[in-house]
Amino acid sequence: MNYSVSFPSGTVQYYTAGSFATLHEIVDTDDCIVLTDNHIATIYHSLLAPYRTIVIPAGEDHKTAETISYITDELLKYEAHRHTTLIALGGGMITDIGGYVASIYMRGLHYGFIPTTILGMVDAAIGGKNGINHKLQKNLLGTINQPQFVLYDAGFLQSLPLEEWSNGFAEVIKYACLFDKPLFKELEQHDIDYYRGNQTALNKIIETCADWKNKIVLADERETGARKLLNFGHTTGHAFETLYQLPHGYAVALGMMVACQASIEHCMLDASVPQRLQHLLQAYKLPVQQAIDIPKVMDVLRMDKKRNKSSIDFILLTEIGNAVIKPLSTEEIQSALVSFSHASHS
Ligand code: GLY
């Protein structure tokens, strides 16, 4: 089903059962440029052959100002102008950097996303927040500006390594924890292999999660309230990602475990929930334990841009499917990290 969503910063057309082969029906292919990474460019070499492409190295480490400078040089070489459409084909790193460069090049090009990972499909390609990392902080530089379209082509998932499936399912589990108890229960009944072998069930999950993201962003595009809920598992998750070089979804899985510990203490979350979450994360091949250096984690958290004076807005669960935003003091966060750390050693 195709549909559009009108956010304050722009209207996005979603092509949910699309195909890269139908791109010419959406954009003027003579005046578009595809931005992708070296892995995708290699795997899909013949698919991309008719297009002008800009290829950058894969990996979050390359989501930097240097790469923006390279992409800008290439756009200039191709004589990209205000009516050129930039198409970001790839995972979250490509859509983040692609959306950002498209938003600033000549004060804004039209752009579209073709996410090639589950994480991209349920999260990174939706919401309009795009940006790059600074050496001192992830996603420090960025914009909020919606793409013209997001095209879902499930065919790209075939080439995904297992780790990328787990990465995406961390965000799927996040939506289930935050908003959707039936989804949580459905996920509990299956595992990652079930969804890898069942395209229909996978598509349904992706659509459900994309709907949740759209609904929340529609209500609060600039993240002044409800959108903060989407940071469940991400506050400490980002710190783990930075300190232990974990893939994003793995770090979020650990962050959700920490948030569950804090939720027992501050939101009277039933003590059985961390164990259910742990089993669920394990069924989707995500980590649930990590040896952490608490003072170092706290140092990274203090740098976190979500910090508000002496407290940090934390997303906590009151039950599966219901979350609240609660400012926690550094002592309270430290205590949740200690509980997580003890659970990791028991
Ligand atoms: N690009 C991801 C988001 O806006 O949340």
Side-chain angles (χ1 to χ4, degrees):
M1 189 191 62
N2 299 333
Y3 59 92
S4 63
V5 181
S6 290
F7 300 96
S9 75
T11 298
V12 186
Q13 180 70 38
Y14 291 91
Y15 301 95
T16 59
S19 156
F20 189 88
T22 61
L23 194 55
H24 64 277
E25 294 170 15
I26 301 172
V27 290
D28 174 4
T29 49
D30 291 334
D31 204 2
C32 74
I33 296 169
V34 178
L35 173 72
T36 194
D37 68 40
N38 55 327
H39 292 157
I40 293 171
T42 305
I43 300 172
Y44 299 105
H45 182 257
S46 46
L47 199 64
L48 292 171
Y51 291 92
R52 294 183 294 170
T53 55
I54 299 174
V55 180
I56 59 173
E60 189 71 17
D61 289 352
H62 298 284
K63 212 175 83 178
T64 58
E66 288 72 34
T67 310
I68 290 287
S69 168
Y70 171 74
I71 298 169
T72 308
D73 289 348
E74 294 298 289
L75 287 169
L76 286 168
K77 267 190 221 159
Y78 283 132
E79 298 181 0
H81 54 88
R82 293 290 308 274
H83 299 291
T84 301
T85 301
L86 185 72
I87 295 167
L89 170 74
M93 179 271 188
I94 286 290
T95 55
D96 273 6
I97 199 164
Y100 179 58
V101 75
S103 300
I104 58 175
Y105 180 87
M106 291 190 175
R107 298 192 177 80
L109 297 178
H110 285 176
Y111 72 100
F113 286 159
I114 308 180
T116 58
T117 63
I118 296 172
L119 195 143
M121 290 180 183
V122 301
D123 184 28
I126 304 169
K129 283 201 302 192
N130 300 298
I132 56 171
N133 300 328
H134 180 269
K135 62 180 181 304
L136 294 179
Q137 198 169 308
K138 266 175 74 65
N139 296 326
L140 183 70
L141 305 170
T143 52
I144 297 185
N145 175 36
Q146 300 292 341
Q148 271 61 54
F149 68 88
V150 181
L151 172 70
Y152 288 82
D153 178 346
F156 286 112
L157 300 179
Q158 303 310 322
S159 60
L160 279 192
L162 180 60
E163 179 184 294
E164 261 310 322
W165 282 78
S166 297
N167 246 340
F169 267 93
E171 295 289 346
V172 170
I173 291 168
K174 180 192 82 175
Y175 291 113
C177 289
L178 285 173
F179 310 120
D180 199 331
K181 198 176 204 166
L183 175 61
F184 194 96
K185 286 186 177 162
E186 182 186 326
L187 292 168
E188 283 184 316
Q189 281 159 19
H190 301 297
D191 62 13
I192 200 156
D193 293 330
Y194 170 79
Y195 288 104
R196 287 178 86 198
N198 190 331
Q199 188 65 55
T200 311
L202 178 67
N203 286 348
K204 193 168 149 270
I205 295 265
I206 290 173
E207 275 179 39
T208 301
C209 294
D211 283 350
W212 280 119
K213 176 103 188 228
N214 274 316
K215 205 180 281 182
I216 293 293
V217 176
L218 194 55
D220 176 26
E221 190 185 39
R222 299 202 68 82
E223 197 173 319
T224 54
R227 188 168 179 170
K228 291 183 186 173
L229 293 172
L230 299 175
N231 292 325
F232 177 59
H234 284 63
T235 310
T236 53
H238 277 157
F240 298 152
E241 194 174 343
T242 307
L243 286 171
Y244 305 114
Q245 278 86 50
L246 295 171
H248 179 72
Y250 286 44
V252 169
L254 297 167
M256 290 193 283
M257 292 298 296
V258 176
C260 260
Q261 294 294 347
S263 302
I264 293 174
E265 200 155 321
H266 301 284
C267 286
M268 293 194 298
L269 179 69
D270 192 283
S272 66
V273 174
Q275 204 168 24
R276 278 179 75 184
L277 178 63
Q278 176 170 333
H279 287 148
L280 192 57
L281 294 170
Q282 285 169 328
Y284 291 85
K285 302 201 187 310
L286 285 157
V288 293
Q289 296 175 335
Q290 170 77 34
I292 56 168
D293 180 329
I294 294 177
K296 278 194 180 153
V297 174
M298 291 307 298
D299 282 347
V300 177
L301 285 176
R302 282 189 195 97
M303 291 280 298
D304 193 289
K305 63 181 179 297
K306 291 168 203 81
R307 185 164 189 247
N308 171 23
K309 297 195 184 110
S310 59
S311 63
I312 294 176
D313 278 345
F314 233 75
I315 311 308
L316 302 177
L317 300 182
T318 56
E319 59 177 324
I320 293 170
N322 196 44
V324 292
I325 304 164
K326 215 171 157 68
L328 293 191
S329 66
T330 46
E331 291 74 25
E332 288 168 330
I333 294 169
Q334 203 155 339
S335 154
L337 287 168
V338 169
S339 305
F340 167 77
S341 198
H342 285 161
S344 284
H345 287 104
S346 59

